Amino acid sequence: MFPETAVVTGSEGGIGRALVAALEAEGAAVRGLDLAGGFDVSDPQAWLDVEAADLVCLNAGVLAKGDGTIDDYRRILGVNVDGVVFGVQALAPRLRKGSVFVVTASLAGLIPMASDPLYTLTKHAVVGYARAMAEVLAPRGIRVNLVCPGIVRTPMTEPEQAKLDAAGFPLMEPEQVAEAVLVAARSELTGQAWVCQPGREPTVFRF
């Protein structure tokens, strides 16, 4: 069963934990990388010690704090954009044919999200980067795909969950996103994004 080995960033968050659990349940050997364990995805040097895997889930992400500071801007760029770019740059040269990157983006990478413009900026960036790198890596038989979920019930969204629940806004569970990652990972397509919404099967977005 593909994959036999996997790397998951943001492995201690809601989606990351669900990803690790889903992969391990299928017998994959998973290396989880998370800031809680001392791994900073925005540090290019940290990636040098990460071994190649059949599936690389570039999943780490944060929301903007909303304070409009330069530090907040640099922080969200570092995690959401650098964490993807550095991961691809470090591991792509070492991946074998048939391997795949799956990037956790967001619906905010496909449409505007006025509540968090900086988050929207970063997710649009990684969608464009992943789709471009898919063309670069295709001759080597390495695929690059994305998943673009709506709002997921995770620690990152916890401050707004009560308000969303009260308004009847449906939230996805992390396990649904993990399932979509596996769909994207096992697809023969590359450079594509799977939209994830509550109660629906993952759907390839029509760019």
Side-chain angles (χ1 to χ4, degrees):
M1 178 69 74
F2 180 88
E4 294 182 0
T5 59
V7 168
V8 178
T9 66
S11 58
E12 294 297 318
I15 296 173
R17 285 179 180 272
L19 269 171
V20 171
L23 288 162
E24 289 183 340
E26 295 193 356
V30 184
R31 180 175 180 184
L33 305 172
D34 196 280
L35 189 61
F39 188 89
D40 182 355
V41 295
S42 67
D43 177 5
Q45 297 301 312
W47 285 99
L48 299 180
D49 295 327
V50 180
E51 295 182 1
D54 298 332
L55 168 60
V56 179
C57 300
L58 298 172
N59 168 72
V62 295
L63 296 169
K65 293 181 179 179
D67 54 16
T69 63
I70 293 295
D71 286 345
D72 189 30
Y73 173 63
R74 296 298 184 193
R75 165 184 163 272
I76 194 170
L77 279 181
V79 177
N80 294 5
V81 179
D82 293 349
V84 172
V85 174
F86 294 163
V88 171
Q89 288 180 337
L91 292 177
R94 293 183 270 138
L95 294 191
R96 64 186 181 183
K97 182 178 180 180
S99 300
V100 58
F101 291 99
V102 178
V103 179
T104 302
S106 169
L107 285 181
L110 303 172
I111 58 175
M113 188 173 81
S115 61
D116 195 337
L118 289 181
Y119 183 78
T120 301
L121 178 155
T122 63
K123 293 304 181 179
H124 271 73
V126 298
V127 168
Y129 177 74
R131 297 189 71 220
M133 285 305 300
E135 295 188 19
V136 173
L137 296 175
R140 292 182 47 211
I142 298 171
R143 292 167 292 121
V144 186
N145 286 316
L146 304 118
V147 292
C148 295
I151 301 177
V152 185
R153 194 180 299 278
T154 69
M156 190 168 70
T157 62
E158 187 172 1
E160 299 296 322
Q161 285 174 14
K163 186 187 302 182
L164 293 167
D165 287 339
F169 190 92
L171 300 181
M172 283 186 300
E173 298 302 323
E175 290 74 17
Q176 184 182 353
V177 183
E179 291 174 5
V181 169
L182 293 179
V183 170
R186 291 167 178 163
S187 170
E188 295 182 358
L189 300 175
T190 189
Q192 301 303 311
W194 275 257
V195 173
C196 313
Q197 295 176 297
R200 299 181 182 180
E201 294 296 318
T203 304
V204 177
F205 183 74
R206 294 184 180 181
F207 285 98

